[in-house]
Each structure stands twice: as structure tokens, then as C-alpha cells.
Amino acid sequence: MKLSNSSENKVGIVKLSLWQSSAVSRTITVLVLGYLMIYCTDTLHVPAAGVSLILVFSKFIDGFTDAIAGFIVDKTKTRFGTGRPYEVFIVFLWLATWLLYSCPPSFSTIAKYIWIFCMYVLANAVCTTFLIANVTPYAVRAFKHGQIVKVTSYGSIYTMLVAIAFNVIFPSMMQAAAGSPSAWSRMVGMMAVPLAAIGLLRMIFIKEQYEVGSSTTKKEGIKFSDAITVLKSNPYIFLIALMTLVFNFVTNMGVNSYYFTYIVGNLGLMGVMSAITIVTIPVPFLFPKLIRKFSVFRLMQFGFILSGLGGLVNFFAGANMPLLMVGSLLGGIGTVPASMLTALIVIQCADFNEWNGNQRMEGTMSSVIGLAGKIGAAVGAGALGVILQFSGYTGVAETMPGSAYLVIRLLYSLVPMALYFITALTLRRYKKLEDMTPQIKADNEARRNAASDAVSE
């Protein structure tokens, strides 16, 4: 993936900020939802296993909406563009997130389960689904290829800064809420209004201005069978989906709050731990040069190996904060490529589809990856609840058996380590597409030029 440093690939700081506004807003919702399990168990006082079943069952609905959302986005042709109109879902995402954390405490356990299920499905299966499906179709029509690499790389710094700030501040806010349902509702509501407004800036100010794909596929239009064809003929997108599933399983398990509460013995130190990840901020500045020298896929592969080593360090760390900081640093740096550069992989896979004479289908492939991420997040949170319950977790330190403490330690360290190492090995199969990419891009460009010349004649 060769980049040019010409002036046409430059992206101004204002445009970069406006583009990243939606991603920043959605990132906060993801982080807030990472605390759903401990909110349900310690504030709503509902059994963890029941919440786990809700999260897993919601994926059946998620699977249906993901199957159609990408196709809907790919097929959309309006005067505002293809992906741009769906940015409005950021408002409904924040509304659903606030309602999720505003469950009336007087409800019965069954009523609480129904409330959690409905709000979680609205947030994830509807709003997040369309916000994931529209990103790449929007990006390839708003920026040139060289600009997309820079927007993806440098724009990730915004989300990293916001994520770090959130992870530093929110544990203390959560601790101050002290299990109060009304405090949780106020806390999330105070974030929802300004962040929903910020999330709309991209839609308001960034227009779609470029056409993509060959003239042949554009004339034929997009049919549902095109989505099936692409998914059958492109195995590489499923490798990235697997990577995304594992990444989200680990990062959304929510075991951190349990680890710092019961192993370290101080939840407030979780915010201190998050502050160390500020040293990862310069990493995205290196991405354009690193991509030219290596590749996106190799950066992701190396990152997972680094994160796996971080998990190993955490196992030996126990409550030792300096060692935990080393583990956190390794894990933080290692996960940056996978969390920030996936859009570039989707574009690469879309080029492969076009090369095979198929529709590009960026939206459909984004939905596949989005579904994998949401399954990983839900199964991670769900597995945490089930495993904690079977380990004898009680929520009271004085009555907790040693098995519960051991399980919390393993889920924080060796389990992520094993999953990250396995993912790094699995990604080796992506190398074939990486090697083919220069020829694919050259052939696609030649076909487009030939088609353009034929039309002009």
C-alpha cells in the first residue's frame, strides 16, 4: 500500500476533526457499555447469568440487522450520498444508552431484564449497526485513497485521547455513584446530550464527493445476490471479522473493574492505570510510514503478539502496579492497529471484490466486521457473568472463595494472552491478499481508465 506525499493527499486539521467527531462520540458509548455488567449486578441487583443470556440472545437480532444494514447502505443513493445520511443514528444511540442506564429500580427482576434487552438491542442491533456499516462507504466517497490512510491514522489520535480521558475519569465517577440508579442515570445523561451533538458534526460538514467502483458494476446496480456472491468469494473479510471478534471479546469483557476491586483492592487505581496509555498517542503518527514499509496486516499481527505479551506480564503482576502498568502499556500499544486501521482492510477487500468483477460492497463487509465485533463484545460480557457466577463470585470480598479470585486473575491475563497469540497466527493467511494488492490496484485502475475512454469516445 504505497502512499504519496503530494499536496492532494493532505487533510486539514479542521476537516480531520470534523470527520472524527462521530467516531469519538461512538467510542464513548462503547466504553460506557463496557460497564453494563457491573451496573446490572451491583446497582440493579440482577443475577449476572441472566444478564449474560440477554446479551447473547440479543445477537440473534443483531445478526439479522447486520445482514441487511450493509446491503441497505450499499444500495442507498441520495442527494446527500450513500453513507452520510446514516450518521443521524448517533443521536438515537445516545438516547438508547442513556435509557439503558436509567432502568427504574422499582421494576421486578423480569421487568429489568426486558428493559435491558430492549435498550441494548436498540443501541447495538439498530444504531451501532448502521453507524458501522456506513463508515467505509462514506469515507471512500469523501476522501481520496491517500487521504483515507492519513484520516484513519491521524484521526485515531482523537479517539485514543478521548478513550484515555474517559478511562481515567469514569472509574472515579462510577465509584462516586456508589450503586445509585439515579446517579448512574444522571451521569450517562450528562454525557449523552453534548456527545450526541458532537457526533453529528461529521454529517453536517463532510460531503461525499467522489465516485467509486467500475462503471459496469455501477450501471448494473446492487442486488442482494451481490452481497451473497461477495461473502462467498472473499475469505479475507472473515479473517478480519475473526480478529475483530477476539479483540472485542477481550476489551469488552469488563473484567478490569472486578480486577481492580478485588485483586488490586482499589477501583480508583484503574483510572491511574488508564493514564499510562497516554504514551501510546504518538503511535498513529507512525502509521503512514509503517504502512509504506510493512503493511496494515503486519502491523495488526505484530500488535496482537505485543498484546499477548502484555497479558503474560499481567499474570505475574498480581497487585503490583508497576508491572501492571507495563502489561497495560504493551496491551495498549498492541491493540492500536486493530482498533484504528480496520477501514483500510475493508477498502483492500473491496478492491479485491472489484478485481473479481463483483460489486465492491464496502457497507456489507463493514457490517460483517461490525457483527463480529458486537458478538465478541456480547459474548465477552456474557461469558464474564456466567464464569463469575460459576466461580462462586458473591460481590462481597469477605465471602468470596479463592476460585473467584483466581478466575478474575486468569480472565485479566492468560485468557487474553492466548486469544491474542492465536489471532496473530490466524492472520498469517491474510498475507496472500496483501501480496496481490499492488497488482489488484493496477488492474482496477486500468479497467476504470479503459471504461472511461470508451465512454468518452
Side-chain angles (χ1 to χ4, degrees), residues 373-414:
K374 286 183 283 185
I375 289 175
V379 173
L384 176 67
V386 172
I387 293 171
L388 285 178
Q389 190 148 325
F390 278 98
S391 71
Y393 174 80
T394 63
V396 181
E398 291 77 12
T399 62
M400 285 235 290
S403 57
Y405 286 94
L406 177 60
V407 162
I408 291 172
R409 284 192 64 199
L410 291 176
L411 290 175
Y412 188 75
S413 58
L414 295 189

Side-chain angles (χ1 to χ4, degrees), residues 65-76 82-83 86 128-141 212 222 227 230-231 237 346-347 349-350 353 359-371:
T65 56
D66 272 287
I68 64 172
F71 174 73
I72 291 173
V73 173
D74 282 327
K75 198 172 178 62
T76 298
T82 295
Y86 297 97
T128 300
T129 291
F130 277 97
L131 288 170
I132 290 175
N134 85 315
V135 172
T136 307
Y138 191 177
V140 296
R141 291 166 175 81
V212 296
I222 294 176
V230 161
L231 296 180
I237 198 65
V346 173
I347 294 171
C349 288
N353 294 338
Q359 297 281 1
R360 291 179 62 85
M361 307 299 285
E362 292 100 340
T364 297
M365 293 188 297
S366 295
S367 287
V368 170
I369 293 174
L371 175 61

Side-chain angles (χ1 to χ4, degrees), residues 89-148:
F89 276 99
I90 193 69
V91 174
F92 301 106
L93 174 58
W94 270 111
L95 176 61
T97 302
W98 172 66
L99 289 172
L100 180 59
Y101 285 92
S102 300
C103 180
S106 59
F107 277 7
S108 66
T109 299
I110 297 299
K112 288 176 182 176
Y113 281 149
I114 294 173
W115 181 281
I116 294 165
F117 176 77
C118 291
M119 295 306 117
Y120 187 80
V121 165
L122 177 60
N124 278 276
V126 180
C127 300
T128 300
T129 291
F130 277 97
L131 288 170
I132 290 175
N134 85 315
V135 172
T136 307
Y138 191 177
V140 296
R141 291 166 175 81
F143 300 99
K144 295 181 179 179
H145 176 72
Q147 291 177 317
I148 293 174

Side-chain angles (χ1 to χ4, degrees), residues 53-317:
L53 290 175
I54 285 176
L55 298 183
V56 172
F57 184 69
S58 71
K59 293 304 109 182
F60 290 103
I61 298 176
D62 228 343
F64 172 75
T65 56
D66 272 287
I68 64 172
F71 174 73
I72 291 173
V73 173
D74 282 327
K75 198 172 178 62
T76 298
K77 302 294 178 187
T78 72
R79 65 190 184 94
F80 297 107
T82 295
R84 186 184 179 195
Y86 297 97
E87 288 290 306
V88 72
F89 276 99
I90 193 69
V91 174
F92 301 106
L93 174 58
W94 270 111
L95 176 61
T97 302
W98 172 66
L99 289 172
L100 180 59
Y101 285 92
S102 300
C103 180
S106 59
F107 277 7
S108 66
T109 299
I110 297 299
K112 288 176 182 176
Y113 281 149
I114 294 173
W115 181 281
I116 294 165
F117 176 77
C118 291
M119 295 306 117
Y120 187 80
V121 165
L122 177 60
N124 278 276
V126 180
C127 300
T128 300
T129 291
F130 277 97
L131 288 170
I132 290 175
N134 85 315
V135 172
T136 307
Y138 191 177
V140 296
R141 291 166 175 81
F143 300 99
K144 295 181 179 179
H145 176 72
Q147 291 177 317
I148 293 174
V149 175
K150 292 182 177 180
V151 164
T152 304
S153 301
Y154 301 150
S156 63
I157 296 170
Y158 288 81
T159 52
M160 288 174 64
L161 283 169
V162 169
I164 290 170
F166 177 90
N167 288 329
V168 170
I169 297 169
F170 196 77
S172 298
M173 294 173 65
M174 188 181 76
Q175 199 168 32
S180 167
S182 60
W184 271 95
S185 179
R186 287 195 302 271
M187 187 167 58
V188 177
M190 287 171 59
M191 293 187 288
V193 175
L195 284 167
I198 289 171
L200 288 173
L201 294 177
R202 174 195 287 178
M203 183 184 74
I204 295 171
F205 293 104
I206 305 295
K207 297 180 180 179
E208 294 185 11
Q209 52 187 330
Y210 302 110
E211 289 289 336
V212 296
S214 66
S215 58
T216 302
T217 55
K218 284 188 288 186
K219 285 179 181 178
E220 290 175 352
I222 294 176
K223 304 179 290 294
F224 189 74
S225 58
D226 293 324
I228 303 299
T229 299
V230 161
L231 296 180
K232 283 183 177 179
S233 61
N234 192 333
Y236 304 105
I237 198 65
F238 293 104
L239 290 175
I240 305 306
L242 175 62
M243 175 199 78
T244 306
L245 187 150
V246 170
F247 172 73
N248 281 274
F249 178 92
V250 173
T251 55
N252 289 276
M253 234 188 321
V255 72
N256 296 30
S257 53
Y258 290 94
Y259 189 90
F260 278 85
T261 298
Y262 298 104
I263 305 301
V264 177
N266 187 341
L267 182 61
L269 288 177
M270 194 169 113
V272 177
M273 176 65 65
S274 299
I276 193 67
T277 56
I278 197 168
V279 302
T280 65
I281 291 174
V283 174
F285 284 110
L286 304 175
F287 281 160
K289 290 184 178 179
L290 290 175
I291 290 170
R292 283 199 296 270
K293 189 170 183 180
F294 302 103
S295 67
V296 176
F297 126 80
R298 289 192 183 279
L299 290 179
M300 290 179 171
Q301 190 178 40
F302 176 74
F304 278 114
I305 293 173
L306 206 60
S307 294
L309 292 175
L312 182 61
V313 171
N314 286 336
F315 177 73
F316 292 104

Side-chain angles (χ1 to χ4, degrees), residues 380-449:
L384 176 67
V386 172
I387 293 171
L388 285 178
Q389 190 148 325
F390 278 98
S391 71
Y393 174 80
T394 63
V396 181
E398 291 77 12
T399 62
M400 285 235 290
S403 57
Y405 286 94
L406 177 60
V407 162
I408 291 172
R409 284 192 64 199
L410 291 176
L411 290 175
Y412 188 75
S413 58
L414 295 189
V415 171
M417 179 198 76
L419 291 173
Y420 283 146
F421 283 161
I422 292 170
T423 304
L425 288 173
T426 304
L427 281 175
R428 292 177 62 187
R429 298 183 59 188
Y430 193 87
K431 185 177 184 298
K432 182 178 180 181
L433 178 59
E434 189 69 47
D435 292 340
M436 294 166 56
T437 294
Q439 187 62 50
I440 288 173
K441 293 184 74 65
D443 290 347
N444 284 348
E445 190 64 29
R447 289 176 189 172
R448 292 173 189 171
N449 291 337

